[in-house]
Amino acid sequence: MKSESKIFFLKLLIHVGALLPLVNLYFLAFKDELGVDPVETVIHFTGIGALNLLLLTLSVTPIVKTFRQGYLLKTRRVLGLYAYTYAVFHLLNFLAFEVQFDGALFISEVIKRPYITVGMVAFFLLTAMAITSINKLKRKMGKSWQTLHNVNYLIILLVTIHFYWSVKSELTSPLFYIVVAIVLLFFRYKKIKRLILSMFI
């Protein structure tokens, strides 16, 4: 199968795999079939969905280097944009159900609760990456585009910390995600080291 066909089917699989669970989630929510705490279920599902997609996006480059399947690089943008889509729904769910779109209360929550503060920082950085993923902006930014998109290493750390701090009891799941994130970042050890050194030189 040609690489163009592989990319087409992979992207189709990503679209279906990302959209169907989201549609099904809200379908079940409207039918009141999400259990005793539907609000928590919706917020948690969209948050974990965003984290999973971010980790998948970071997984692409190590897979390409290990198995020499360069065409997979063309799936990173669609994975990243779906990660952002889930993050948007995660935030909207919180705004709608937890603070009822009360701006003052939301700001107060961001200030008082560190896990929300960290989550919002990650969301704003992810928004910048989503906006600049547009090809026209990417061309205009030139080399600075890659500099900006290196922030995805920071985003994944912030999101896993956000998840860890938001969990009040069962810590196995957030600790697992932290380990996976660290492993994926370890594949980029040399690049991250260069980036850190360049900040102080």
Side-chain angles (χ1 to χ4, degrees):
M1 186 183 292
K2 292 182 179 179
S3 60
E4 292 82 3
S5 299
K6 291 179 181 179
I7 293 166
F8 173 80
F9 284 112
L10 268 176
K11 286 186 175 181
L12 181 61
L13 183 63
I14 291 168
H15 287 305
V16 173
L19 284 175
L20 281 185
L22 200 59
V23 171
N24 183 60
L25 174 72
Y26 288 102
F27 174 74
L28 293 176
F30 284 121
K31 290 185 67 178
D32 196 20
E33 294 182 6
L34 289 180
V36 295
D37 194 347
V39 170
E40 176 64 25
T41 300
V42 170
I43 291 175
H44 179 75
F45 185 92
T46 49
I48 287 295
L51 178 51
N52 285 333
L53 285 160
L54 283 171
L55 290 172
L56 279 174
T57 307
L58 277 178
S59 300
V60 172
T61 298
I63 291 172
V64 166
K65 289 182 177 179
T66 302
F67 299 101
R68 298 183 179 180
Q69 301 294 321
Y71 67 92
L72 291 174
L73 291 172
K74 295 185 178 181
T75 66
R76 286 189 304 185
R77 182 167 71 168
V78 67
L79 284 168
L81 288 174
Y82 271 121
Y84 180 65
T85 300
Y86 270 74
V88 169
F89 277 100
H90 182 61
L91 177 58
L92 287 175
N93 292 327
F94 178 79
L95 288 171
F97 301 120
E98 295 290 344
V99 297
Q100 287 78 51
F101 292 107
D102 185 327
L105 178 58
F106 174 65
I107 293 171
S108 173
E109 290 289 285
V110 171
I111 294 170
K112 288 192 304 182
R113 301 182 187 276
Y115 80 93
I116 299 179
T117 308
V118 169
M120 285 308 300
V121 172
F123 180 78
F124 283 127
L125 292 174
L126 198 56
T127 299
M129 291 185 64
I131 292 171
T132 55
S133 68
I134 300 170
N135 286 330
K136 195 172 183 179
L137 283 175
K138 182 178 178 179
R139 288 193 295 269
K140 283 186 177 181
M141 291 179 68
K143 291 182 179 180
S144 61
W145 182 89
Q146 185 59 60
T147 302
L148 171 63
H149 279 247
N150 285 333
V151 81
N152 62 352
Y153 307 140
L154 174 60
I155 290 172
I156 197 63
L157 289 176
L158 291 174
V159 173
T160 51
I161 291 170
H162 167 72
F163 182 28
Y164 179 81
W165 281 350
S166 69
V167 174
K168 298 178 177 62
S169 55
E170 206 280 309
L171 297 176
T172 304
S173 184
L175 286 174
F176 169 77
Y177 277 101
I178 288 172
V179 170
V180 172
I182 290 172
V183 169
L184 288 174
L185 292 176
F186 182 77
F187 280 99
R188 297 163 170 85
Y189 166 74
K190 292 182 179 179
K191 183 177 181 180
I192 293 172
K193 182 179 179 180
R194 287 198 303 271
L195 291 171
I196 294 173
L197 288 174
S198 67
M199 293 171 62
F200 298 99
I201 296 176

